[in-house]
Amino acid sequence: MSSIAAFFADLGAWNWFIIAVVLLGLEVMAPGAHFLWFGLAAVITGFLGLITGFTWQWQLIAFALLSIVTVMWGRRAMGPQVEGPGDSSLTNRAEQYVGRTFEVAEPIQSGRGKVKVGDTLWLAEGQDTPAGAHVRVTGARGTVLTVERDRA
């Protein structure tokens, strides 16, 4: 019997708890949820081995199947968190200006011009408006602000 087979045969199901500790220790040293799910599969396999008395070959098959299941479950549970339709002003800066009033820096002619936002000029689309007039931002498309003349 080879040394690996002898190792598995001698300790039985307790091997899986040792392997789980090693895998979870690796996860602590190199975080990123790579070894966590395999460690969980090893713990479950260890309990199955103690309860059922399966031979090491069946335990190895159970570990492989449980690894697939725990990795798939982990990817679903800990997968990328997609931002919903909530506050996106961090990634779309133009959205934070909606509802605010700014001064037209370069006249809006033929539907396009520039407004002064702080110390920056932003492209603007809207009704023709002379320089110096105030406009309210009603929307944003990329880096172009949609504006309408402010009546206040």
Side-chain angles (χ1 to χ4, degrees):
M1 191 179 282
S2 71
S3 61
I4 293 175
F7 173 75
F8 275 104
D10 291 343
L11 288 178
W14 290 101
N15 288 323
W16 297 108
F17 297 113
I18 295 168
I19 292 169
V21 168
V22 170
L23 289 169
L24 294 174
L26 285 171
E27 179 66 27
V28 169
M29 291 189 306
H34 291 62
F35 300 106
L36 176 67
W37 309 116
F38 295 108
L40 181 61
V43 168
I44 295 170
T45 303
F47 282 120
L48 284 174
L50 288 175
I51 293 169
T52 63
F54 285 153
T55 63
W56 70 267
Q57 294 92 339
W58 284 107
Q59 290 176 23
L60 194 59
I61 292 169
F63 174 72
L65 294 174
L66 285 168
S67 292
I68 292 169
V69 169
T70 57
V71 167
M72 289 174 63
W73 178 78
R75 287 185 64 140
R76 180 174 300 215
M78 302 293 191
Q81 304 299 320
V82 179
E83 182 180 315
D87 182 26
S88 63
S89 62
L90 182 62
T91 56
N92 189 359
R93 188 165 177 186
E95 290 290 328
Q96 71 185 354
Y97 299 128
V98 174
R100 294 181 56 190
T101 303
F102 299 106
E103 183 179 335
V104 175
E106 294 180 15
I108 300 174
Q109 297 174 342
S110 301
R112 292 190 60 97
K114 292 187 180 180
V115 294
K116 185 172 174 96
V117 178
D119 62 350
T120 308
L121 294 180
W122 282 71
L123 289 174
E125 291 181 343
Q127 301 170 344
D128 288 356
T129 309
H134 286 77
V135 291
R136 180 176 310 278
V137 178
T138 58
R141 192 181 77 244
T143 59
V144 179
L145 302 175
T146 305
V147 298
E148 65 181 26
R149 190 148 190 183
D150 188 32
R151 304 289 176 203

